């Protein structure tokens, strides 16, 4: 770095540059983290106490609730005792089916029927209370259950307007709005039959609705989903393909008929019915048990008996509704099948009579009606096809022979020629003559008479072979002509036979059409008859697709979190909140505390830590404290700074030392006084020059009233000996400020001051310059060229690192020979908690080494 020669003197660059720390890997320092939390323990403890206390109050104020659970198992396809396909098919055991059944258990018809059976619409637990002055208002919390219930209990003493303003609750709904919501919700299931009959009953009285027996051990629970007015509606309509009649329109029982009027009347009579149902559903939990086909039906209530009754009634009603729905479907299907079977029977009798009459009218026999004409047509077609194929083969062979003759090629290789016995015989004779001719030629020569005779015989044989080949070809042509005549005769006979069978085929087509219609009707009739019989048999063996696996028992212990849980959650949450707050405050702390902070933010060495002591006061200044307690922690820390200054350059130790800071009040002047006293106590001649002419304090610190000062000396009014005052208690020479100059900058830039400092350099071991702070005035910057080293003072944990950084940058701009930074007014106890591992951490530990 280009400025290293100004940051560190040559010797100091080696002796005081911080070494690389290899004790820890990159990442969070757990020790420092623990130290940070310990430093902020008061805030953390306060937050923990407050949070735990609030959680405890919430736990004490919460109403105890109990949860009972019944379990239902979805079995899928029911047992098929007689191996018949059921009219009401069973459920497929798969996750989608389980989810569908969960929605059925939570549907409004089921809920309304159970609530009506147990008169829960008038129960105070579900019916919203109407406070005086806020009639018709129902506060709706934004959090899901069960947290909305907890919030409602914990904030019961908080005004509604505050909850709405914070977003924890919505605007309350009034009665008219509830009516409009329910009326506009066309898809909302309607209350069960007779639901309005029990609205005026006293709370706790069971009010059975119309057509529903009371829940007891003898009477089975009527299914919650079986609605009496809806069961009369047909589940299927006539098929227009089967009967030719248009299908009847399908009506929705939930949006038309008496239920629609009943729902409107019930809601108009009691606008809080929808709110009560919503509260009931918030207490109802229907969920699968793991990955099985078991559904748990849990209900939470303030009363354990009520929780068990509701859970059991929901489960039993659901199971019974499966059987009742199948029975209803099977009965309706059986009635419709019976009517359809009777219709198909009459239709089958009618079409069979038409088939018999048609056979009589057209003289057609039953059974196999393939007559002689059809057989003749079949034989002639076969003969014609065979003759045509044979004729095509012969024509192809004749065409091949003609092509060979036209090209002049021999015909003796034809299959017919090779198969001729005469040709074979002639060829054998020709071969014998050729053998004899060869023997005679070898014996007598080619002109021998016998050789000539054999040649003549061979020529005759060739004429005979050629004549036979011509005869074979003529025979082939004759066969082709005969075959063509045969084809013509067969075609004529086939045309005559086809004419005869035309009339029979017309009648046959009509008969086959009637028979197909009769066969189709017969198959349909038999199918419907078989299904009708199976349906009647199934009515006796109907089974539910769901079984009640276990009934809900009366809960003994409440399901709501108890006080220990609230306290634990409050403690953990508040501890986390307090810790996060402590870490956030630590993150926001911009003060300089350690050598690492000084190095990172200022780019300087930390050359000393000066502890804070309450014993140094205006009445007991630093020089007196050091004289009284030369072995104190404060004295040792000042000696450490002096040692760092002396060893900054061993061969050429600095003599003129400039001490400055970024802003006033950081302990700069106290450090100047302390360094001077410690150095004088070590038999060094020390001169302190107070050049903070704008705000001089050294005269007050040393308790001296000078007759003359630095201004008078530089003005030539007095001599050096008359201006310098020796402090009687420490033997430190002081050049103080008696009169403030009119132009401090001109005084500090004067050649006389530089000459004065050079003169003092030769007389004293150390000349310590107390200068003004860097920020605000330029006095310290003007003095940097005359100083051998500059000590930068910053207050521990108070001076912001950005402020100190700006001051250091200004000093670097003035080409100051910066030695390092000294942290003053260190709170030893707090510093120890940070765990920096420096001398300041152990100032309070090894007290036996010091004498305070």
């Amino acid at each position: 770095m280009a400025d290293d020669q100004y940051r560190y003197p040559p010797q100091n660059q080696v002796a005081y540059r911080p070494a690389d720390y290899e004790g820890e890997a990159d990442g969070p320092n757990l020790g420092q983290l623990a130290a940070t939390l310990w430093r902020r323990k008061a805030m953390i403890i306060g937050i923990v106490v407050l949070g735990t206390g609030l959680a405890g109050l919430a736990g004490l104020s919460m109403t105890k609730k109990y949860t009972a659970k019944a379990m239902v198992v979805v079995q899928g396809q029911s047992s098929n005792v007689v191996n018949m396909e059921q009219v009401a098919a069973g459920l497929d055991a798969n996750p989608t089916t389980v989810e569908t059944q969960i929605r059925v258990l939570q549907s409004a018809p089921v809920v309304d029927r159970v609530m009506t059976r147990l008169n829960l619409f008038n129960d105070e637990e579900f019916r919203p209370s109407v406070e005086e002055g806020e009639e018709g208002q129902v506060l709706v919390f934004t959090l899901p259950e069960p947290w909305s219930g907890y919030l409602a209990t914990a904030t019961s003493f908080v005004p509604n307007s505050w909850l709405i303003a914070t977003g924890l609750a919505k605007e309350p709904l009034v009665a008219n709005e509830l009516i409009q919501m329910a009326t506009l919700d066309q898809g909302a299931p309607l209350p069960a039959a007779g639901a309005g009959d029990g609205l005026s009953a006293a709370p706790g009285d069971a009010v059975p609705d119309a057509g529903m027996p009371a829940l007891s051990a003898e009477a089975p629970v009527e299914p919650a989903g079986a609605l009496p007015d809806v069961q009369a509606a047909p589940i299927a309509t006539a098929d227009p393909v089967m009967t030719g009649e248009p299908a009847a329109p399908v009506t929705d029982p939930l949006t038309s008929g008496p239920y629609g009027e009943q729902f409107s009347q019930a809601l108009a009579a009691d606008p809080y019915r929808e709110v009560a149902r919503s509260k009931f559903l918030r207490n109802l939990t229907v969920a699968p048990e793991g990955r099985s086909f078991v559904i748990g039906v849990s209900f939470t209530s303030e009363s354990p008996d009520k929780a068990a009754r509701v859970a059991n009634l929901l489960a039993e009603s659901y199971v019974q509704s499966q059987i009742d729905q199948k029975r209803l479907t099977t009965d309706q299907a059986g009635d419709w099948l019976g009517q359809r079977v009777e219709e198909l029977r009459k239709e089958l009798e009618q079409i069979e009579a038409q088939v018999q009459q048609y056979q009589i009218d057209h003289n057609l026999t039953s059974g196999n009606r393939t007559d002689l004409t059809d057989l003749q047509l079949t034989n002639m077609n076969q003969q014609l096809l065979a003759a045509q194929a044979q004729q095509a083969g012969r024509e192809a062979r004749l065409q091949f022979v003609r092509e060979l003759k036209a090209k002049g090629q021999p015909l003796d290789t034809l299959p017919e020629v090779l198969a001729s016995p005469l040709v074979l015989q002639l060829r054998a004779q020709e071969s014998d003559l050729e053998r004899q001719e060869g023997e005679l030629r070898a014996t007598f020569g080619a002109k021998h008479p016998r050789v000539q005779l054999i040649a003549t015989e061979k020529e005759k044989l060739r004429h005979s072979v050629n004549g036979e080949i011509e005869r074979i070809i003529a025979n082939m042509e004759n066969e082709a002509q005969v075959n063509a005549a045969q084809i013509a005769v067969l075609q004529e006979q086939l045309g005559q036979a086809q004419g005869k069978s035309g009339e029979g085929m017309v009648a046959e087509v009509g008969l086959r059409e009637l028979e197909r219609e009769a066969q189709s009707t017969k198959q349909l009739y038999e199918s419907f008859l078989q299904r009708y019989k199976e349906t009647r048999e199934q009515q006796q063996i109907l089974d539910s697709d769901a079984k009640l696996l276990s009934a809900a028992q009366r809960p003994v212990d409440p399901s709501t979190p108890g006080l220990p849980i609230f306290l634990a959650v409050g403690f953990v949450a508040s501890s986390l909140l307090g810790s996060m707050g402590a870490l956030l405050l630590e993150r926001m702390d911009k003060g300089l505390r350690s050598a690492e902070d000084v190095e990172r933010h200022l780019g300087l060495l930390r050359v000393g830590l000066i502890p804070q002591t309450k014993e140094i006061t205006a009445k007991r200044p630093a020089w007196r404290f050091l004289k009284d307690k030369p072995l104190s922690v404060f004295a040792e820390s000042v000696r450490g700074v002096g040692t760092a200054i002396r060893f900054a350059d061993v061969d050429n130790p600095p003599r003129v030392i400039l001490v400055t800071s970024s802003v006033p009040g950081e302990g700069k002047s106290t450090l100047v006084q302390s360094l001077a006293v410690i150095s004088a106590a070590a038999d060094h001649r020390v001169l302190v020059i107070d050049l903070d002419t704008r705000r001089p304090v050294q005269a007050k610190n040393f308790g001296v009233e000078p007759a003359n000062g630095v201004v008078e000396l530089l003005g030539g009014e007095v001599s050096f000996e008359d201006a310098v005052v020796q402090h009687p208690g420490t033997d430190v020479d002081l050049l103080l400020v008696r009169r403030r100059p009119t132009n401090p900058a001109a005084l500090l830039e004067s050649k006389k001051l530089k000459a004065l400092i050079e003169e003092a350099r030769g007389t004293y071991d150390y000349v310590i310059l107390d200068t003004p702070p860097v920020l605000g005035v330029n006095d310290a910057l003007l003095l940097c060229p005359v100083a051998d080293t500059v000590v930068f003072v910053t207050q521990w944990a108070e001076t912001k690192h950005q402020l100190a950084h700006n001051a250091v940058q200004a000093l670097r701009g003035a080409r100051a020979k910066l030695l390092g930074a000294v942290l003053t007014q260190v709170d030893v106890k707090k510093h120890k908690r940070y765990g920096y591992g420096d001398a300041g951490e152990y100032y309070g530990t090894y007290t036996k080494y010091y004498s305070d």
Side-chain angles (χ1 to χ4, degrees):
M1 185 174 191
D3 292 337
D4 277 348
Q5 58 178 325
Y6 300 104
R7 292 175 54 195
Y8 312 110
Q11 298 297 330
N12 193 45
Q13 292 183 30
V14 176
Y16 288 93
R17 184 180 295 275
D20 293 336
Y21 181 58
E22 299 179 355
E24 294 178 349
D26 293 339
N29 190 321
L30 297 180
Q32 293 181 0
L33 180 62
T36 300
L37 298 178
W38 178 253
R39 287 193 300 274
R40 308 284 182 176
K41 62 180 179 297
M43 182 193 73
I44 296 176
I45 292 175
I47 294 177
V48 169
V49 171
L50 179 61
T52 306
L54 291 177
L57 289 176
L60 291 174
S61 61
M62 175 170 291
T63 303
K64 292 183 179 180
K65 293 187 177 182
Y66 299 84
T67 300
K69 176 188 283 189
M71 288 192 290
V72 177
V73 58
V74 179
Q75 302 181 95
Q77 299 292 340
S78 303
S79 57
N80 202 344
V81 179
V82 293
N83 194 23
M84 298 179 184
E85 182 181 357
Q86 297 183 0
V87 174
L91 299 175
D92 293 330
N94 55 60
T96 303
T97 301
V98 173
E99 185 66 24
T100 302
Q101 299 309 305
I102 290 175
R103 295 294 180 265
V104 171
L105 278 163
Q106 295 174 322
S107 62
V110 176
V111 171
D112 282 357
R113 180 169 291 272
V114 173
M115 293 184 70
T116 303
R117 286 281 303 275
L118 300 177
N119 197 27
L120 298 182
F121 282 112
N122 292 327
D123 195 309
E124 294 181 355
E125 184 177 353
F126 305 102
R127 186 177 181 85
S129 60
V130 181
E131 299 179 1
E132 183 177 359
E134 295 184 353
E135 185 172 359
Q137 292 187 352
V138 180
L139 195 63
V140 180
F141 287 92
T142 56
L143 295 179
E145 285 292 336
W147 303 110
S148 61
Y150 301 158
L151 182 62
T153 303
T155 59
S156 58
F157 56 90
V158 180
N160 290 351
S161 58
W162 291 11
L163 296 175
I164 296 172
T166 57
L168 296 176
K170 298 179 181 178
E171 288 289 345
L173 301 176
V174 298
N176 292 336
E177 293 176 344
L178 292 172
I179 295 174
Q180 293 174 2
M181 286 172 52
T183 304
L184 293 176
D185 187 7
Q186 297 297 331
L190 304 179
D197 298 338
L199 292 177
S200 59
D205 295 339
V207 182
D209 52 352
M212 178 179 291
L215 183 61
S216 63
E218 293 79 8
V221 179
E222 185 171 348
L227 305 178
D229 294 339
V230 180
Q231 291 177 357
I235 63 169
T237 59
D239 188 352
V241 177
M242 304 301 296
T243 63
E245 300 177 357
V250 180
T251 59
D252 186 358
L254 297 181
T255 58
S256 63
Y259 265 6
E261 298 178 0
Q262 179 185 0
F263 178 77
S264 300
Q265 294 173 0
L267 189 60
D270 187 0
Y272 299 111
R273 188 182 186 90
E274 187 71 21
V275 179
R277 184 190 299 115
S278 299
K279 288 188 174 182
F280 181 92
L281 288 174
R282 285 199 295 267
N283 292 348
L284 175 64
T285 301
V286 184
E289 296 294 322
R291 302 183 63 181
S292 65
F293 298 111
V294 177
I295 300 175
V297 182
S298 303
F299 190 79
T300 303
S301 175
E302 298 175 3
S303 169
D305 295 328
K306 186 192 302 181
R309 286 200 305 269
V310 172
N312 286 329
L313 183 56
L314 274 169
E316 293 170 0
S317 299
Y318 166 71
V319 172
Q320 185 63 32
S321 68
Q322 296 284 330
I323 300 176
D324 291 349
Q325 185 62 36
K326 282 189 175 183
R327 180 175 292 110
L328 173 64
T329 304
T330 305
D331 291 343
Q332 292 177 340
D335 295 340
W336 183 79
L337 286 172
Q339 297 176 3
R340 188 59 181 152
V341 165
E342 183 63 22
E343 295 174 358
L344 290 175
R345 185 185 63 79
K346 295 179 180 179
E347 184 178 350
L348 180 60
E349 292 176 352
Q350 181 180 1
I351 194 65
E352 287 180 345
Q354 292 178 1
V355 171
Q356 294 178 359
Q357 186 63 38
Y358 190 89
Q359 289 177 339
I360 294 173
D361 295 342
H362 294 82
N363 196 21
L364 297 175
T365 60
S366 59
N368 186 6
R369 293 180 298 276
T370 303
D371 53 11
L372 181 60
T373 304
D374 293 335
L375 182 60
Q376 290 177 349
L377 286 174
T378 300
N379 293 334
M380 283 190 289
N381 277 321
Q382 293 176 353
Q383 293 175 7
L384 179 59
L385 291 174
Q388 289 175 344
Q390 187 177 17
Q391 180 65 17
R394 288 175 177 175
E395 291 289 343
R397 290 197 296 274
L398 287 176
Q399 181 64 27
F400 179 70
V401 170
R402 295 188 185 100
E403 290 177 356
L404 292 178
K405 291 178 67 177
K407 295 178 181 179
Q409 296 180 358
L411 302 177
D412 52 357
T413 58
L414 293 174
E416 290 80 0
V417 174
L418 294 177
S420 174
L422 180 59
V423 172
L424 293 176
Q425 183 181 359
L426 294 176
R427 292 294 186 188
Q429 294 177 3
E430 183 178 5
S431 298
D432 185 54
L433 290 177
E434 288 178 351
R435 180 182 58 76
Q436 293 178 10
E437 182 181 9
E439 293 176 355
L440 291 176
R441 282 178 179 273
T443 304
F444 301 107
K447 296 182 179 181
H448 192 270
R450 292 188 63 181
V451 174
Q452 295 295 327
L453 179 62
I454 290 174
T456 302
E457 290 179 356
K458 285 174 59 179
E459 185 66 23
K460 291 180 180 179
L461 286 175
R462 289 191 185 95
H463 286 295
S464 299
V465 169
N466 290 335
E468 181 63 20
I469 290 174
E470 291 297 334
R471 187 189 65 79
I472 290 173
I473 293 173
N475 187 34
M476 292 173 59
E477 292 177 348
N478 292 334
E479 289 178 352
Q481 292 175 359
V482 171
N483 195 51
Q486 184 181 1
I487 289 174
V489 172
L490 287 174
Q491 288 177 344
E492 182 179 0
Q493 293 177 354
L494 181 61
Q496 293 175 358
Q498 288 177 345
K500 292 179 181 180
S501 65
E503 297 177 359
M505 292 180 64
V506 172
E508 182 71 17
V509 170
L511 179 60
R512 288 177 180 175
E513 182 177 357
L514 289 175
E515 287 179 341
R516 283 195 301 271
E517 184 177 355
Q519 183 65 23
S520 176
T521 303
K522 182 179 180 180
Q523 292 177 354
L524 189 60
Y525 169 74
E526 292 176 350
S527 175
F528 271 72
L529 181 60
Q530 178 67 20
R531 190 60 178 153
Y532 173 72
K533 293 180 179 180
E534 292 178 355
T535 302
R536 289 305 178 190
E537 293 297 330
Q538 289 177 5
Q539 291 178 351
Q540 308 301 324
I541 55 174
L542 289 176
D543 191 14
S544 174
D545 295 322
K547 296 289 185 182
L548 181 61
L549 188 61
S550 64
Q553 304 297 323
R554 182 183 184 277
V556 178
D557 298 323
S559 58
T560 51
L563 181 59
I565 300 297
F566 273 88
L567 292 176
V569 172
F571 177 79
V572 173
S574 58
S575 298
L576 293 176
L577 180 62
S579 301
M580 292 176 62
L583 296 177
L584 180 61
L585 290 178
E586 192 70 17
R587 185 69 176 175
M588 295 172 62
D589 187 358
K590 302 298 183 181
L592 298 172
R593 299 176 182 271
S594 64
E596 181 182 355
D597 294 342
V598 173
E599 179 72 21
R600 181 171 67 253
H601 296 294
L602 305 183
L604 296 177
L605 289 173
R606 195 265 300 148
V607 296
L609 287 172
I610 308 301
Q612 184 183 40
T613 175
K614 296 181 180 180
E615 297 186 43
I616 298 178
T617 62
K619 294 182 179 181
R620 192 185 188 189
W623 67 268
R624 185 176 297 279
F625 176 79
L626 291 172
K627 185 177 180 180
D628 295 341
K629 295 185 177 182
L631 299 179
S632 63
V633 174
F634 183 84
E636 289 297 330
S637 63
V638 176
R639 287 191 186 94
V641 176
T643 302
I645 294 173
R646 284 195 295 274
F647 286 95
D649 191 345
V650 178
D651 296 330
N652 188 20
R655 289 179 175 271
V656 180
I657 304 165
L658 187 149
V659 180
T660 186
S661 62
S662 56
V663 292
E666 295 189 87
K668 164 182 62 65
S669 298
T670 302
L671 178 63
V672 169
Q673 181 183 175
S674 302
L675 281 174
V677 173
I678 291 296
S679 299
D683 295 331
H684 294 291
R685 295 193 62 192
V686 181
L687 173 64
V688 174
I689 304 177
D690 190 357
L691 295 178
D692 190 356
T693 58
R694 303 172 189 267
R695 188 172 173 265
V697 295
Q698 291 299 344
K700 181 180 179 181
N701 289 344
F702 280 97
V704 177
E705 290 291 339
N708 299 295
V710 65
V711 176
E712 289 80 6
L713 175 61
L714 296 178
E717 300 177 10
V718 295
S719 63
F720 180 80
E721 290 76 8
D722 294 335
V724 174
V725 178
Q726 187 177 51
H727 189 259
T730 60
D731 295 333
V732 175
D733 290 344
L734 305 173
L735 184 55
L736 306 174
V737 177
R738 180 177 178 275
R739 185 177 74 245
R740 298 183 183 184
T742 57
N743 189 354
L747 177 67
L748 298 178
E749 285 185 304
S750 64
K751 295 181 179 180
K752 292 183 178 181
L753 178 61
K754 295 180 181 178
L756 172 63
I757 294 175
E758 288 299 325
E759 181 183 354
R761 184 195 301 271
T763 305
Y764 293 92
D765 295 327
Y766 296 105
V767 178
I768 304 176
L769 308 179
D770 185 6
T771 63
V774 174
L775 301 180
V777 294
N778 296 323
D779 296 1
L781 304 179
L782 298 175
L783 295 171
C784 287
V786 301
D788 295 337
T789 188
V790 177
V791 176
F792 184 74
V793 177
T794 180
Q795 186 177 356
W796 179 85
E798 293 296 330
T799 303
K800 301 297 183 292
H801 62 75
Q802 186 61 44
L803 194 68
H805 173 78
N806 294 336
V808 171
Q809 289 299 101
L811 291 171
R812 288 198 178 104
R815 314 299 290 177
K817 302 177 184 64
L818 286 165
L819 172 67
V822 177
L823 297 178
T824 62
Q825 304 180 41
V826 178
D827 189 328
V828 176
K829 292 183 178 179
K830 291 184 178 179
H831 186 82
K832 181 181 178 181
R833 299 191 200 117
Y834 281 85
Y836 293 127
D838 53 14
E841 183 176 349
Y842 299 98
Y843 279 154
T845 302
Y846 299 101
T847 56
K848 62 182 179 180
Y849 287 94
Y850 311 114
S851 177
D852 285 340

